[in-house]
Amino acid sequence: DDIERAVLCELNPALDPAIRNAARAFCENLESSADGWSLCLEKMFKTTVMEVAFYCLGVIQNVVLHK
């Protein structure tokens, strides 16, 4: 899915910088969207990839603490 691919691409230093930048832009867009936190909440409990769950937890934490 898009969230998992974006998070894993962003974390992979071996990928082309343009791909990593596109992944970062996707994540930033998700983080700033009105429903990004709810998408991350759902993804956090469905993913089997620890890095993705941790990223989603960070998005939710940011919403709770700053919005």
Side-chain angles (χ1 to χ4, degrees):
D1 110 319
D2 290 342
I3 296 173
E4 286 192 3
R5 276 192 300 273
V7 170
L8 294 176
C9 284
E10 186 180 4
L11 295 174
N12 186 346
L15 286 179
D16 182 275
I19 294 172
R20 291 183 70 205
N21 288 340
R24 181 70 212 145
F26 177 90
C27 290
E28 288 174 352
N29 199 21
L30 177 67
E31 292 165 18
S32 65
S33 71
D35 63 341
W37 70 270
S38 63
L39 295 171
C40 285
L41 181 63
E42 181 180 343
K43 175 54 69 182
M44 187 173 70
F45 289 107
K46 289 186 176 180
T47 189
T48 59
V49 181
M50 184 179 300
E51 293 88 349
V52 174
F54 187 76
Y55 166 79
C56 289
L57 181 61
V59 171
I60 295 164
Q61 178 187 21
N62 189 44
V63 169
V64 169
L65 294 176
H66 302 290
K67 293 192 179 187

